[in-house]
Amino acid sequence: MTGVPASAARRGAVPKPKTASTVRPVSLWNIANILTMVRLLLVPAFVLLMVAEDGHDPAWRSFAWAAFTVAMITDLFDGELARRYDLVTDFGKIADPIADKAIMGAALICLSALSDLPWWVTGVILFRELGITLLRFWVIRHGVIPASRGGKLKTLAQGVAVGMYVLALTGPLATARWWAMAVAVVLTVVTGLDYVRQAVVLRRAGLAAEKATPTSKAAPTSSGTSSRTPSSASSASSAPAASGRDGGRDGERDGDGEGDNAGPAGNTGNSGSAENAGNKRKAGGEGS
């Protein structure tokens, strides 16, 4: 016998499972991680450009806008490249969300510190971003909350609105950036509430599954295996012995027993004594 199922043999060669030696290791210095590190390095550079010349020089603000735009572009590509070309690493999983929150948080705080953006807008956006991050960790043992289209649209709206505030705009463009920020704030709140709903549903489903797991484990392990406990086994082994002794006593009373009343599982020693006692009793009857 080869140990290969007949159905598999008919289909052809059985594919070999992947082993640890055949898995291609992912280098830390891949394109996705490099883009993430570039975004992290752009955070302090962006802050320095924002506060240069008291933070209101149009030229320096243009440089700050360029740094912010490059950071947001890398945010769009590093995750996609990591998933498409299998470049996911532990460093990327940790550094990517940190870089996202760092560049957006730095821009919002700088704008509010320069009195270009109300603090309540910065507070709402930062509270939502940090709250959703903590929410993901809260339910991570039950599952992962996937990124929705609303969340991606929210990120795009925030990037456009904050970028317009970073530039020193005047006239109609200054009014347009206010409306862009209003849309970003609405999307921030709406998608945040949706993430909370998903987290609650995911946690309830996970807790229900954990409660149902012990019930499924209580089923029999396999058909044909004995479920007799040691105590029941010992009582079952002692039952034939008692039956043998009773059979011997029956043989003594009737005179016709040969120890067969003990049954095939009876104790051998007791069966023999019962047989001898039955023969003696029978012999005595015939003699009288």
Side-chain angles (χ1 to χ4, degrees):
M1 295 181 65
T2 60
V4 179
S7 59
R10 287 194 299 268
R11 288 192 298 267
V14 179
K16 296 181 179 180
K18 291 184 178 181
T19 59
S21 58
T22 61
V23 177
R24 182 176 62 87
V26 180
S27 173
L28 177 65
W29 297 98
N30 58 67
I31 184 61
N33 287 345
I34 291 175
L35 290 177
T36 301
M37 286 184 278
V38 168
R39 189 160 70 257
L40 284 171
L41 293 175
L42 284 173
V43 174
F46 168 79
V47 173
L48 292 176
L49 293 172
M50 280 290 294
V51 299
E53 298 293 334
D54 295 332
H56 293 94
D57 184 82
W60 288 107
R61 293 286 286 262
S62 298
F63 291 134
W65 175 85
F68 179 80
T69 302
V70 171
M72 296 304 295
I73 291 175
T74 60
D75 182 27
L76 296 175
F77 285 102
D78 58 355
E80 181 64 24
L81 290 173
R83 289 185 295 270
R84 178 175 298 182
Y85 297 104
D86 195 16
L87 301 176
V88 179
T89 61
D90 292 336
F91 171 81
K93 293 178 183 178
I94 298 173
D96 183 67
I98 292 176
D100 298 343
K101 304 299 184 294
I103 188 65
M104 184 60 66
L108 291 170
I109 292 174
C110 287
L111 290 172
S112 295
L114 295 172
S115 301
D116 291 337
L117 187 67
W119 275 105
W120 70 266
V121 175
T122 298
V124 168
I125 295 177
L126 292 183
F127 178 79
R128 187 268 189 195
E129 299 300 330
L130 295 177
I132 296 303
T133 301
L134 296 177
L135 198 64
R136 288 178 182 272
F137 284 109
W138 182 52
V139 299
I140 194 170
R141 69 187 185 97
H142 302 295
V144 177
I145 304 176
S148 62
R149 292 183 178 179
K152 296 178 180 179
L153 185 60
K154 177 269 307 178
T155 302
L156 177 62
Q158 286 182 357
V160 172
V162 171
M164 294 179 70
Y165 268 88
V166 170
L167 287 172
L169 299 178
T170 57
L173 291 178
T175 304
R177 70 181 182 182
W178 185 92
W179 286 105
M181 183 59 72
V183 172
V185 170
V186 171
L187 289 175
T188 297
V189 174
V190 171
T191 56
L193 294 176
D194 183 63
Y195 273 112
V196 172
R197 180 192 61 81
Q198 293 186 55
V200 172
V201 172
L202 184 62
R203 187 170 187 272
R204 287 178 178 175
L207 293 176
E210 290 178 358
K211 290 180 180 179
T213 300
T215 304
S216 61
K217 289 183 179 179
T221 54
S222 62
S223 59
T225 57
S226 175
S227 60
R228 185 184 300 169
T229 59
S231 59
S232 62
S234 61
S235 62
S237 61
S238 62
S243 175
R245 288 191 294 271
D246 294 340
R249 284 192 288 270
D250 291 339
E252 289 179 11
R253 288 194 300 269
D254 298 333
D256 59 353
E258 296 180 357
D260 293 337
N261 289 338
N267 185 275
T268 304
N270 293 333
S271 302
S273 61
E275 181 180 355
N276 294 334
N279 291 335
K280 289 178 182 180
R281 179 65 174 171
K282 185 175 183 181
E286 292 175 352
S288 62

